[in-house]
Amino acid sequence: MKKILAKVAKKILPFRLYKLIANGFIIVPKYYESFIVSAEQYMNFSLEDSVKKDILLLRKYAHIIDKGLHREDATPGHSHSIYMGLKELVDKLSKTDFITDPTYIWAKDRLHSYEILQQDCSHFKHLQGEPTEGSPDSYNILSQIIKQRRSCRNFKVKLLDAFAVNKICDVADWAPSSCNKQPLKIFVTNNPSLAMECLKCCKGGTGFSDFIPSFWVITANCRGYVWPTEIMLPTLDSSLCLQNMLLAAHTLGISGTVLTWAQSTSQENAKLRELLSISEDYIIICCVVMGYPKSYFMVPSRKIPEVCLI
Protein backbone atom coordinates (compact mmCIF):
# COMPACT_ATOMS: atom_id res chain seq x y z
CA MET A 1 0.00 0.00 0.00
CA LYS A 2 2.87 2.35 0.87
CA LYS A 3 4.46 1.82 -2.57
CA ILE A 4 1.19 2.58 -4.33
CA LEU A 5 0.71 5.81 -2.36
CA ALA A 6 4.29 6.83 -3.13
CA LYS A 7 3.76 6.29 -6.88
CA VAL A 8 0.52 8.27 -6.84
CA ALA A 9 2.08 11.12 -4.84
CA LYS A 10 5.03 11.29 -7.22
CA LYS A 11 2.69 11.62 -10.20
CA ILE A 12 0.28 14.21 -8.84
CA LEU A 13 2.52 16.37 -6.62
CA PRO A 14 5.12 18.92 -7.75
CA PHE A 15 8.56 17.36 -7.46
CA ARG A 16 9.73 19.78 -4.77
CA LEU A 17 6.73 18.96 -2.60
CA TYR A 18 7.16 15.23 -3.19
CA LYS A 19 10.86 15.46 -2.31
CA LEU A 20 10.04 17.40 0.87
CA ILE A 21 7.56 14.76 1.94
CA ALA A 22 9.97 11.95 1.08
CA ASN A 23 12.79 13.55 3.04
CA GLY A 24 10.41 14.08 5.94
CA PHE A 25 10.28 10.31 6.40
CA ILE A 26 6.69 10.01 5.26
CA ILE A 27 7.90 7.99 2.27
CA VAL A 28 11.34 6.48 2.77
CA PRO A 29 12.47 3.34 0.93
CA LYS A 30 13.89 0.65 3.20
CA TYR A 31 17.43 0.92 1.79
CA TYR A 32 17.52 4.63 2.71
CA GLU A 33 16.86 3.85 6.35
CA SER A 34 20.13 2.00 6.96
CA PHE A 35 22.05 4.76 5.17
CA ILE A 36 20.47 7.41 7.38
CA VAL A 37 21.12 5.40 10.54
CA SER A 38 24.79 4.97 9.59
CA ALA A 39 25.19 8.66 8.75
CA GLU A 40 23.71 9.67 12.10
CA GLN A 41 26.01 7.22 13.90
CA TYR A 42 29.09 8.68 12.21
CA MET A 43 27.82 12.19 12.97
CA ASN A 44 27.64 11.26 16.65
CA PHE A 45 31.24 10.00 16.58
CA SER A 46 32.39 13.24 14.95
CA LEU A 47 30.88 15.27 17.80
CA GLU A 48 32.74 13.33 20.50
CA ASP A 49 36.10 14.46 21.86
CA SER A 50 38.75 11.98 20.75
CA VAL A 51 42.45 11.88 19.99
CA LYS A 52 41.47 10.34 16.62
CA LYS A 53 39.47 13.47 15.88
CA ASP A 54 42.27 15.72 17.14
CA ILE A 55 44.85 14.40 14.67
CA LEU A 56 42.51 14.88 11.71
CA LEU A 57 41.71 18.43 12.78
CA LEU A 58 45.41 19.12 13.38
CA ARG A 59 46.13 18.24 9.74
CA LYS A 60 43.14 20.29 8.60
CA TYR A 61 44.14 23.45 10.50
CA ALA A 62 47.81 23.07 9.53
CA HIS A 63 46.71 22.73 5.89
CA ILE A 64 44.74 26.00 6.09
CA ILE A 65 47.70 27.80 7.67
CA ASP A 66 50.05 26.22 5.12
CA LYS A 67 48.03 27.58 2.20
CA GLY A 68 48.40 31.11 3.54
CA LEU A 69 52.14 30.70 4.14
CA HIS A 70 52.62 29.71 0.48
CA ARG A 71 50.98 32.86 -0.82
CA GLU A 72 53.35 35.41 -2.33
CA ASP A 73 51.30 38.17 -0.71
CA ALA A 74 51.29 36.54 2.74
CA THR A 75 50.80 39.18 5.44
CA PRO A 76 50.19 38.96 9.19
CA GLY A 77 46.76 39.15 10.75
CA HIS A 78 44.93 36.37 8.92
CA SER A 79 43.43 33.06 10.13
CA HIS A 80 43.92 33.81 13.83
CA SER A 81 41.12 31.47 14.95
CA ILE A 82 42.62 28.63 12.88
CA TYR A 83 46.03 29.38 14.38
CA MET A 84 44.60 29.19 17.91
CA GLY A 85 42.91 25.88 17.11
CA LEU A 86 46.14 24.48 15.67
CA LYS A 87 48.18 25.70 18.64
CA GLU A 88 45.78 24.03 21.06
CA LEU A 89 45.95 20.73 19.18
CA VAL A 90 49.75 20.81 18.90
CA ASP A 91 49.96 21.24 22.67
CA LYS A 92 47.31 18.61 23.35
CA LEU A 93 48.81 15.97 21.05
CA SER A 94 52.31 16.55 22.45
CA LYS A 95 51.19 14.31 25.31
CA THR A 96 50.21 11.42 23.01
CA ASP A 97 51.92 8.88 20.78
CA PHE A 98 51.19 11.17 17.81
CA ILE A 99 54.18 13.31 18.79
CA THR A 100 56.31 11.16 16.43
CA ASP A 101 53.78 11.25 13.59
CA PRO A 102 55.31 13.01 10.51
CA THR A 103 52.15 15.08 10.07
CA TYR A 104 52.34 16.28 13.68
CA ILE A 105 55.94 17.38 13.15
CA TRP A 106 54.95 19.12 9.90
CA ALA A 107 52.00 20.87 11.58
CA LYS A 108 54.22 22.06 14.43
CA ASP A 109 56.66 23.52 11.89
CA ARG A 110 53.83 25.35 10.10
CA LEU A 111 52.69 26.74 13.43
CA HIS A 112 56.19 28.12 14.02
CA SER A 113 56.35 29.66 10.52
CA TYR A 114 53.00 31.35 11.07
CA GLU A 115 54.25 32.86 14.34
CA ILE A 116 57.35 34.23 12.58
CA LEU A 117 55.11 35.91 10.00
CA GLN A 118 53.04 37.55 12.73
CA GLN A 119 56.09 38.80 14.64
CA ASP A 120 58.22 40.21 11.81
CA CYS A 121 56.83 40.01 8.29
CA SER A 122 59.83 41.87 6.86
CA HIS A 123 62.00 38.80 7.48
CA PHE A 124 59.38 36.30 6.34
CA LYS A 125 59.73 34.63 2.96
CA HIS A 126 56.68 32.81 1.66
CA LEU A 127 57.02 29.04 1.54
CA GLN A 128 57.88 27.47 -1.80
CA GLY A 129 58.47 23.82 -2.65
CA GLU A 130 60.95 22.37 -5.08
CA PRO A 131 59.74 22.38 -8.71
CA THR A 132 59.00 19.07 -10.38
CA GLU A 133 59.35 18.51 -14.10
CA GLY A 134 57.34 16.10 -16.15
CA SER A 135 58.47 14.40 -19.32
CA PRO A 136 56.94 12.40 -22.17
CA ASP A 137 58.74 9.31 -20.86
CA SER A 138 57.17 9.71 -17.42
CA TYR A 139 53.73 10.12 -18.94
CA ASN A 140 54.17 7.07 -21.16
CA ILE A 141 55.26 4.87 -18.26
CA LEU A 142 52.38 6.00 -16.05
CA SER A 143 49.88 5.70 -18.90
CA GLN A 144 51.04 2.15 -19.59
CA ILE A 145 50.70 1.15 -15.92
CA ILE A 146 47.20 2.64 -15.73
CA LYS A 147 46.03 0.91 -18.92
CA GLN A 148 47.59 -2.46 -18.07
CA ARG A 149 46.14 -2.69 -14.57
CA ARG A 150 43.50 -5.40 -14.38
CA SER A 151 41.21 -6.90 -11.79
CA CYS A 152 41.72 -10.63 -11.35
CA ARG A 153 39.70 -13.41 -9.69
CA ASN A 154 42.00 -16.35 -10.34
CA PHE A 155 45.17 -16.39 -8.23
CA LYS A 156 48.37 -18.37 -7.92
CA VAL A 157 48.87 -20.28 -4.70
CA LYS A 158 51.36 -17.68 -3.54
CA LEU A 159 51.11 -15.59 -0.40
CA LEU A 160 51.61 -11.86 -0.11
CA ASP A 161 54.30 -10.94 2.38
CA ALA A 162 54.67 -7.94 4.67
CA PHE A 163 57.13 -6.33 2.24
CA ALA A 164 54.51 -6.24 -0.55
CA VAL A 165 51.81 -4.95 1.82
CA ASN A 166 54.07 -2.16 3.08
CA LYS A 167 55.09 -1.15 -0.45
CA ILE A 168 51.47 -0.91 -1.57
CA CYS A 169 50.40 1.03 1.54
CA ASP A 170 53.39 3.38 1.36
CA VAL A 171 51.88 5.36 -1.54
CA ALA A 172 48.31 5.48 -0.22
CA ASP A 173 48.35 8.70 1.79
CA TRP A 174 50.24 10.56 -0.92
CA ALA A 175 46.89 10.94 -2.69
CA PRO A 176 45.10 14.25 -2.16
CA SER A 177 42.52 14.38 0.63
CA SER A 178 40.09 17.08 1.73
CA CYS A 179 41.98 19.62 3.88
CA ASN A 180 44.82 17.09 4.18
CA LYS A 181 42.86 15.02 6.73
CA GLN A 182 44.31 11.69 5.54
CA PRO A 183 41.51 9.60 7.14
CA LEU A 184 42.57 6.27 5.61
CA LYS A 185 43.04 3.13 7.71
CA ILE A 186 43.67 -0.19 5.97
CA PHE A 187 42.82 -3.58 7.45
CA VAL A 188 44.65 -6.52 5.83
CA THR A 189 44.76 -10.26 6.31
CA ASN A 190 47.22 -12.46 4.41
CA ASN A 191 45.68 -15.57 5.97
CA PRO A 192 43.88 -17.33 3.08
CA SER A 193 41.32 -18.98 5.38
CA LEU A 194 40.41 -15.71 7.06
CA ALA A 195 40.48 -13.95 3.68
CA MET A 196 37.89 -16.43 2.37
CA GLU A 197 35.65 -15.78 5.37
CA CYS A 198 35.91 -12.03 4.77
CA LEU A 199 35.06 -12.49 1.09
CA LYS A 200 31.79 -14.19 2.07
CA CYS A 201 30.65 -10.86 3.54
CA CYS A 202 30.85 -9.12 0.15
CA LYS A 203 28.28 -8.75 -2.59
CA GLY A 204 29.87 -9.50 -5.95
CA GLY A 205 32.34 -11.89 -4.31
CA THR A 206 31.62 -14.64 -6.82
CA GLY A 207 33.76 -16.22 -9.54
CA PHE A 208 36.95 -16.25 -7.47
CA SER A 209 39.36 -19.14 -7.36
CA ASP A 210 39.38 -21.32 -4.24
CA PHE A 211 42.60 -19.68 -3.05
CA ILE A 212 42.24 -16.11 -1.79
CA PRO A 213 45.73 -14.81 -0.93
CA SER A 214 44.89 -11.51 0.75
CA PHE A 215 41.83 -9.51 1.75
CA TRP A 216 41.90 -5.76 2.35
CA VAL A 217 39.29 -3.41 3.82
CA ILE A 218 39.59 0.28 2.97
CA THR A 219 38.16 2.42 5.77
CA ALA A 220 38.01 6.10 6.70
CA ASN A 221 38.08 7.71 10.12
CA CYS A 222 34.68 9.43 10.37
CA ARG A 223 35.87 11.90 13.00
CA GLY A 224 37.01 15.34 11.89
CA TYR A 225 34.38 15.69 9.15
CA VAL A 226 31.52 18.18 9.31
CA TRP A 227 28.36 16.11 9.02
CA PRO A 228 26.18 16.06 7.00
CA THR A 229 27.71 18.61 4.58
CA GLU A 230 30.91 16.53 4.19
CA ILE A 231 29.11 13.20 4.05
CA MET A 232 30.71 12.20 0.73
CA LEU A 233 34.28 13.28 1.54
CA PRO A 234 35.44 10.18 3.48
CA THR A 235 34.56 8.06 0.45
CA LEU A 236 36.23 10.46 -1.97
CA ASP A 237 39.40 10.77 0.13
CA SER A 238 39.76 7.00 0.56
CA SER A 239 39.04 6.24 -3.10
CA LEU A 240 41.87 8.49 -4.24
CA CYS A 241 44.21 6.62 -1.89
CA LEU A 242 42.96 3.29 -3.22
CA GLN A 243 43.82 4.21 -6.81
CA ASN A 244 47.42 4.83 -5.74
CA MET A 245 47.49 1.43 -4.05
CA LEU A 246 46.08 -0.45 -7.04
CA LEU A 247 48.65 1.07 -9.39
CA ALA A 248 51.48 0.34 -6.94
CA ALA A 249 50.27 -3.26 -6.61
CA HIS A 250 50.34 -3.66 -10.38
CA THR A 251 54.00 -2.63 -10.54
CA LEU A 252 54.73 -5.47 -8.09
CA GLY A 253 52.88 -8.01 -10.23
CA ILE A 254 49.91 -8.05 -7.85
CA SER A 255 46.29 -7.66 -8.93
CA GLY A 256 43.68 -5.93 -6.80
CA THR A 257 39.96 -6.53 -7.35
CA VAL A 258 37.68 -3.97 -5.72
CA LEU A 259 34.38 -5.10 -4.20
CA THR A 260 31.62 -2.63 -3.34
CA TRP A 261 30.36 -2.30 0.19
CA ALA A 262 27.36 -0.15 -0.73
CA GLN A 263 24.92 -3.07 -0.70
CA SER A 264 26.12 -4.68 2.53
CA THR A 265 23.61 -5.72 5.18
CA SER A 266 23.92 -4.89 8.87
CA GLN A 267 24.78 -8.56 9.49
CA GLU A 268 27.59 -8.52 6.90
CA ASN A 269 28.87 -5.26 8.32
CA ALA A 270 28.98 -6.65 11.85
CA LYS A 271 30.63 -9.89 10.70
CA LEU A 272 33.42 -8.21 8.74
CA ARG A 273 34.11 -5.82 11.60
CA GLU A 274 34.35 -8.78 13.96
CA LEU A 275 36.68 -10.76 11.66
CA LEU A 276 39.19 -7.91 11.26
CA SER A 277 38.55 -5.99 14.50
CA ILE A 278 37.31 -2.84 12.73
CA SER A 279 35.89 -0.32 15.19
CA GLU A 280 32.55 1.37 14.53
CA ASP A 281 34.06 4.83 14.05
CA TYR A 282 35.78 3.75 10.83
CA ILE A 283 33.56 3.82 7.75
CA ILE A 284 34.00 0.78 5.53
CA ILE A 285 34.43 2.24 2.05
CA CYS A 286 35.09 -0.90 0.02
CA CYS A 287 36.97 -4.21 0.07
CA VAL A 288 39.80 -5.47 -2.15
CA VAL A 289 41.06 -8.95 -2.91
CA MET A 290 44.80 -8.93 -3.64
CA GLY A 291 46.97 -11.65 -5.15
CA TYR A 292 49.31 -12.78 -7.88
CA PRO A 293 47.26 -13.51 -11.02
CA LYS A 294 47.15 -17.06 -12.32
CA SER A 295 45.36 -15.97 -15.46
CA TYR A 296 44.48 -12.58 -16.90
CA PHE A 297 41.30 -11.01 -18.21
CA MET A 298 41.37 -9.55 -21.68
CA VAL A 299 41.40 -5.76 -21.65
CA PRO A 300 37.89 -4.37 -22.30
CA SER A 301 37.48 -1.43 -24.61
CA ARG A 302 37.14 2.00 -23.05
CA LYS A 303 34.88 4.76 -24.26
CA ILE A 304 36.37 7.94 -25.64
CA PRO A 305 36.70 10.43 -22.71
CA GLU A 306 33.87 12.93 -22.51
CA VAL A 307 35.64 16.26 -22.16
CA CYS A 308 34.03 19.70 -22.40
CA LEU A 309 36.89 22.05 -23.20
CA ILE A 310 35.51 25.57 -23.21
Side-chain angles (χ1 to χ4, degrees):
M1 185 65 180
K2 194 173 182 180
K3 289 184 177 179
I4 295 174
L5 290 174
K7 287 182 178 179
V8 172
K10 191 172 184 179
K11 284 185 177 180
I12 64 174
L13 295 175
F15 179 75
R16 286 188 177 183
L17 180 57
Y18 168 75
K19 184 178 179 181
L20 180 64
I21 294 173
N23 288 340
F25 301 96
I26 295 175
I27 303 171
V28 180
K30 187 69 178 176
Y31 50 82
Y32 283 169
E33 292 178 8
S34 60
F35 179 80
I36 294 168
V37 169
S38 295
E40 290 180 341
Q41 178 188 20
Y42 296 134
M43 187 186 301
N44 292 340
F45 280 126
S46 73
L47 294 174
E48 294 177 356
D49 290 331
S50 165
V51 69
K52 293 181 181 178
K53 176 179 179 179
D54 290 340
I55 190 64
L56 265 73
L57 291 180
L58 174 103
R59 297 178 189 134
K60 175 181 179 178
Y61 295 160
H63 167 72
I64 295 171
I65 294 293
D66 184 60
K67 286 195 297 182
L69 296 173
H70 276 83
R71 291 184 57 151
E72 293 184 4
D73 60 349
T75 55
H78 299 282
S79 304
H80 181 71
S81 62
I82 298 296
Y83 160 74
M84 294 301 295
L86 178 59
K87 183 176 175 59
E88 180 183 348
L89 290 171
V90 166
D91 292 341
K92 187 177 180 180
L93 289 169
S94 68
K95 303 174 181 64
T96 71
D97 291 340
F98 282 111
I99 194 171
T100 59
D101 186 296
T103 60
Y104 172 85
I105 297 169
W106 166 80
K108 189 175 180 180
D109 178 74
R110 292 302 181 263
L111 183 70
H112 179 64
S113 296
Y114 178 88
E115 290 172 342
I116 292 175
L117 173 62
Q118 307 311 305
Q119 295 164 7
D120 187 0
C121 62
S122 63
H123 287 84
F124 178 82
K125 185 177 180 181
H126 73 274
L127 302 183
Q128 188 172 6
E130 294 295 325
T132 57
E133 294 185 6
S135 70
D137 287 342
S138 297
Y139 173 83
N140 291 336
I141 292 170
L142 178 59
S143 176
Q144 186 178 36
I145 291 171
I146 292 172
K147 293 175 181 178
Q148 286 180 345
R149 194 212 68 80
R150 297 265 67 77
S151 298
C152 175
R153 292 175 181 250
N154 187 20
F155 301 102
K156 295 178 181 177
V157 181
K158 181 179 178 181
L159 296 174
L160 266 68
D161 56 21
F163 174 82
V165 172
N166 290 333
K167 282 290 186 183
I168 293 169
C169 293
D170 183 58
V171 300
D173 278 321
W174 288 97
S177 61
S178 57
C179 283
N180 197 36
K181 292 193 189 81
Q182 302 177 41
L184 186 72
K185 186 169 184 177
I186 309 161
F187 294 81
V188 183
T189 176
N190 287 334
N191 180 327
S193 298
L194 180 55
M196 182 62 78
E197 288 302 306
C198 292
L199 180 61
K200 292 176 183 178
C201 298
C202 297
K203 299 289 193 298
T206 57
F208 282 93
S209 56
D210 294 333
F211 181 73
I212 303 299
S214 185
F215 191 90
W216 301 46
V217 181
I218 309 302
T219 76
N221 184 349
C222 72
R223 306 175 191 269
Y225 288 92
V226 180
W227 299 81
T229 55
E230 295 184 343
I231 193 169
M232 300 303 296
L233 291 184
T235 301
L236 175 61
D237 291 344
S238 302
S239 298
L240 292 169
C241 295
L242 176 58
Q243 178 69 352
N244 279 10
M245 294 162 60
L246 293 172
L247 295 176
H250 178 76
T251 67
L252 299 173
I254 297 168
S255 173
T257 298
V258 181
L259 298 172
T260 180
W261 194 245
Q263 297 174 326
S264 64
T265 64
S266 58
Q267 293 80 9
E268 290 165 342
N269 189 297
K271 181 63 175 177
L272 187 60
R273 290 182 183 277
E274 178 187 356
L275 289 170
L276 296 181
S277 300
I278 304 171
S279 62
E280 292 291 337
D281 55 337
Y282 281 89
I283 307 169
I284 297 178
I285 305 299
C286 65
C287 302
V288 187
V289 175
M290 294 274 196
Y292 294 95
K294 184 178 180 181
S295 59
Y296 297 85
F297 280 80
M298 296 179 66
V299 180
S301 297
R302 289 290 193 266
K303 68 173 187 178
I304 298 172
E306 298 181 36
V307 180
C308 298
L309 181 60
I310 299 173

